[in-house]
Amino acid sequence: MQTREPATRRRPSSSTSFKGGRALVGALILTACGAVVSTPALADGRGFTAHDLVTMARLSDPQPSPDGRSVVYVLRETDLEADRGRTDLWHVPADGSAAPRRLTSHPSGDSHPRWAPDGSAVFFLSSRSGSSQVGRLPMGAGEAQQVTRLPLDVGGFAVSPKGDRLAVSLEVFPDCDDLACTVDRLAAKDGEKHSGMVYDRLFVRHWDTWKDGRRSHLFALPLNRAGVGGEPVDVTAGLDADVPSKPFGGFEEITFTPDGEGLVFTARVAGAEEPWSTNFDLYHAPADGSKPPRRLTDNPAWDTQPTFSPDGGTLAYLAMERPGFEADRYRVVLRSWPDGEDRVLTQGWDRSSGGVQFSADGKTLFTTAGDRGQVRLFAIDVASGKVRELWGEGHVRSPGQVAGDRLVFGLDTLVAPVDLFTLPIAGGETPKRLTEVNAERLEGIAMGGYEQFTFPGWNNETVYGFMVEPANFDSAKRYPVAFLIHGGPQGSFDNDFHYRWNPQVYAGAGYAVVMIDFHGSTGYGQAFTDSITGDWGGKPLEDLQKGWAHAQERYSFLDGDRSCALGASYGGYMINWIAGRWGDTFDCLVNHDGLFNLESMYYSTEELWFPEWEMGGKPWQKPESFNRHNPMRFVQNWKTPMLVIHGALDYRVVDTEGLATFTALQRQGVPSKLLYFPDENHWVLKPANSVQWHDEVLAWLSRWTREPAED
């Protein structure tokens, strides 16, 4: 493999590129004492495989201690025999003075660590009692103890600033007066002989679950001096809402007030309009349940992720401006607490904040944001709103302040899974490594180096892309190509180590990989993201066409005569669109959970705000919008062999979209296969299914891209 320049040294433009490879990863992959070392993950060796991917240890949820001297985090490892992941808690000094050590090892798995305010213990979630409950682990000597003994599973929790209360989320029937009512009602349903479910409004199912009438509600309960919880009270009683939100909301949407006597949280109280509403507001409720929740914001768009300054005088939160648009820009808003005016801090910054964390002195906010193919770390001055970049390479995750003037965060790249690093708040240094959780797993594995490039796309506007070399790259050879298309469509091929769509699996199998962040992608300014609305098959297709042509011209080792395009969700939609509108380009196609008929998809999906925004209305109002870029209209042009993949539990893009695609292919005699997962949703999550997915996909690519036999 050729050596590349460090990507941290220059910015890409229409005539330059980011380069990554040995030099880039050598700059990021550091020893525990911070010295730069060579990177065995990029050395010659065997190629990275799907088995390697599913068995990578996955680090998440780093939590700095109150004194900033150490970090607790979650490490997920794969139990192949049980076909699942299991999680444990680990601990590492923030200065890297000692190796990480495991804190828990119970077979049931432990997660969601949160420090006691005095640093004496870590609270966590565990199912070791037979249900999901809160546990407490002393950080000196002593065994973990069970804190809550509730009759329902705890979904998540937060600890009050004084350590005298917990806030927990529980699934309850909202009309019940106590937890016993929910328990009894569930038991009664289990004993019924009939199985019919009756609904009188939409959201009958969401993501991968049918609704049964329960809501996720927020409860507060006192802790005694021994750290054992008392009786919970529903602080969200009377709200027809899920707190935290579903399906992906967590306790980043919830915080205690500075005095610990109240809770501020995000909720969407939309009634029958919930399936087409993105009107999330902030609410405040006393922790003792003495008063009903009070709405704090009346923005008709999305407000979320409240957090308080260290002195308790300022509430920061994220807010969108446009109702009904889930990909609008998150602006950072500050409010004097408790009853002051709002001030939009980042109105002039054309990036979407991924959440904020105050510095210890309250003068700075730390945030991450997608930016030109990276997820960078930024500091925002609270007084002026001025934004400065602290670290700009790879994908930064979950930043938090540790001892002194340093931040700790997760960091990964296209060639390296997530590990913990620290960086001075002032920036200007290479991050210092704290963990190396996959060192043994990556030993002897060759990764493909990468390069980020730019080209003139639609309207000659600058568009970015990534190229990933095959493992053990030889510049004298030509390689077949996997052309990956991201979903969303408001998404991005970030410089990260993805645990499902990871280009290194294709690089390990001998393919070069090309990925284009077409118009509509995030991280390039809101206007760029907005440009795809109403134009799903227009600008993005032109960008993909021009990006593919540019990549072949730029990289002579790409064999354009042996290439396949692959995509999921919107990427799967684009595969169907390519089949009808650009079908003579690739040797094969792979469509995972893709859309076949935009009109029928509207009537079967659950989050209606999405198609209504993207198409400018409802099908009976805007039929031309749903039909203009509808793949179904061009099935007569389909000729390219296609592998179709779908999950039965995908209620975002229902499985009939995949079946319709397969029917159109088979009925016309187009070579095609269907891979169907009865136990997967919009994603493929089970380890064994992930391996099968990759085996089928790579076999399909090999069938259609293998070199012709010599005479």
Side-chain angles (χ1 to χ4, degrees), residues 301-547:
W302 210 315
D303 301 326
T304 190
Q305 297 200 36
T307 187
F308 283 96
S309 60
D311 65 3
T314 302
L315 172 67
Y317 65 95
L318 305 183
M320 294 183 178
E321 283 187 339
R322 290 174 285 181
F325 186 26
E326 66 179 9
D328 198 10
R329 177 164 62 101
Y330 272 128
R331 297 150 179 85
V332 179
V333 182
L334 302 181
R335 170 178 292 193
S336 298
W337 184 258
D339 296 316
E341 296 294 321
D342 285 340
R343 174 167 65 100
V344 180
L345 186 64
T346 59
Q347 188 65 37
W349 186 42
D350 195 13
R351 292 297 182 264
S352 185
S353 171
V356 293
Q357 170 75 42
F358 276 98
S359 62
D361 62 9
K363 296 180 180 180
T364 305
L365 285 167
F366 304 112
T367 189
T368 60
D371 183 43
R372 294 165 292 156
Q374 318 291 324
V375 177
R376 307 182 197 270
L377 176 61
F378 297 94
I380 307 172
D381 181 70
V382 169
S384 67
K386 182 179 179 180
V387 180
R388 61 186 174 94
E389 180 183 303
L390 297 179
W391 183 253
E393 202 65 32
H395 190 129
V396 177
R397 304 171 188 270
S398 306
Q401 192 165 10
V402 293
D405 294 324
R406 300 188 70 87
L407 294 170
V408 64
F409 49 87
L411 180 64
D412 56 310
T413 69
L414 283 163
V415 294
V418 180
D419 269 300
L420 282 185
F421 293 81
T422 68
L423 185 74
I425 291 173
E429 295 183 10
T430 298
K432 177 181 177 181
R433 168 184 289 279
L434 294 182
T435 67
E436 198 169 3
V437 300
N438 284 295
E440 293 184 6
R441 294 175 180 85
L442 291 172
E443 187 174 355
I445 293 178
M447 294 283 190
Y450 66 88
E451 179 172 273
Q452 187 178 27
F453 60 88
T454 63
F455 62 93
W458 174 84
N459 200 32
N460 284 322
E461 295 178 5
T462 300
V463 175
Y464 287 66
F466 281 105
M467 181 282 302
V468 180
E469 295 170 342
N472 300 309
F473 175 68
D474 183 345
S475 61
K477 294 183 179 180
R478 300 192 75 212
Y479 294 92
V481 186
F483 189 73
L484 305 187
I485 304 172
H486 73 66
Q490 295 90 355
S492 173
F493 274 122
D494 292 328
N495 180 11
D496 68 359
F497 199 84
H498 203 285
Y499 293 114
R500 293 189 309 278
W501 282 82
N502 192 311
Q504 294 297 343
V505 176
Y506 304 95
Y511 294 87
V513 181
V514 174
M515 306 176 288
I516 305 298
D517 269 358
F518 46 80
H519 275 78
S521 300
T522 54
Y524 303 93
Q526 192 60 45
F528 192 89
T529 300
D530 292 349
S531 66
I532 197 172
T533 301
D535 195 28
W536 275 27
K539 302 180 192 71
L541 179 61
E542 184 172 338
D543 287 345
L544 293 171
Q545 292 170 329
K546 290 182 174 180

Side-chain angles (χ1 to χ4, degrees), residues 205 594 596 600-601 604 646-647 650 653-663 676:
R205 58 186 187 179
F596 173 78
S600 66
M601 184 267 185
S604 58
H646 226 103
D650 184 356
V653 180
V654 297
D655 57 2
T656 50
E657 295 293 303
L659 293 171
T661 299
F662 187 57
T663 297
Y676 186 75

Side-chain angles (χ1 to χ4, degrees), residues 151 222 239 260 305 412 477 551 555 562 606 640:
L239 290 186
Q305 297 200 36
D412 56 310
K477 294 183 179 180
Y555 306 109
R562 292 188 296 144
E606 8 85 291
T640 308

